[in-house]
Amino acid sequence: MLDVGEDAPEFELPNQRGEPVRRSDFDGQRLVVYFYPRANTDGCTTEACEFDDAKSAFADLDAHIVGISDDPVDDLESFAGEYDLSFDLLSDEYGEVATLYESYGEKRMFGNTFDGVFRNTYVVGPEGRIEEVYEGVSPEGHAEAVLEDLE
């Protein structure tokens, strides 16, 4: 995991509409960057919907939200549409940005080993430095915990 106080790595990834989004687009504001394994799975849906439900409370604190997975843009578009998600979901198909944020690597599930995204979250401050780090989070209640820490 990256440490509090470190510079947050710059990135540019396509969102669910195929539009480029950069970390630096949010300079001067807080940015919640949450990594999640797979769109349209139970945990990831819970986490995304809770972040979306709290979006206005985050905005009141001048904080924006982006979710990053290794899903392709088309899957993110479908996921965002199905759950009416109003924040950017970013496609990191090859795990390059997740790797920069130490949120990608070998995973084991159901006896299989594969590379994938770890469920981690970072809060990037207005100056582009890491302010908060959440490793291996549980999806349910995570958005509220981040919001409470920002308040």
Side-chain angles (χ1 to χ4, degrees):
M1 295 294 297
L2 300 176
D3 292 323
V4 170
E6 284 187 62
D7 288 338
E10 179 61 67
F11 61 76
E12 180 178 320
L13 293 170
N15 67 12
Q16 66 267 31
R17 294 174 301 282
E19 303 162 341
V21 175
R22 294 166 200 80
R23 192 218 27 93
S24 58
D25 292 343
F26 302 94
D27 284 351
Q29 305 161 66
R30 283 198 168 79
L31 179 64
V32 176
V33 181
Y34 84 92
F35 292 89
Y36 64 98
R38 185 74 48 222
N40 264 329
T41 58
D42 290 343
C44 295
T45 299
T46 296
E47 188 174 28
C49 289
E50 287 185 5
F51 270 115
D52 196 65
D53 290 345
K55 185 179 174 200
S56 64
F58 280 98
D60 288 345
L61 298 170
D62 202 23
H64 299 271
I65 304 159
V66 296
I68 299 177
S69 73
D70 58 0
D71 293 302
V73 170
D74 290 345
D75 289 357
L76 297 179
E77 180 181 36
S78 172
F79 181 47
E82 183 172 345
Y83 295 98
D84 199 28
L85 302 174
S86 60
F87 60 90
D88 285 320
L89 299 174
L90 307 181
S91 175
D92 183 22
E93 281 196 78
Y94 304 105
E96 294 168 345
V97 171
T99 298
L100 290 174
Y101 280 79
E102 299 180 17
S103 297
Y104 191 84
E106 186 174 278
K107 298 174 78 172
R108 292 173 199 214
M109 187 181 302
F110 307 118
N112 297 315
T113 301
F114 57 95
D115 286 338
V117 177
F118 305 135
R119 195 181 301 278
N120 297 329
T121 300
Y122 293 92
V123 176
V124 179
E127 304 300 320
R129 286 188 288 283
I130 304 293
E131 289 187 341
E132 298 283 344
V133 176
Y134 304 85
E135 184 175 12
V137 302
S138 175
E140 190 170 344
H142 178 55
E144 184 63 31
V146 174
L147 186 59
E148 286 175 8
D149 287 346
L150 289 178
E151 291 173 333

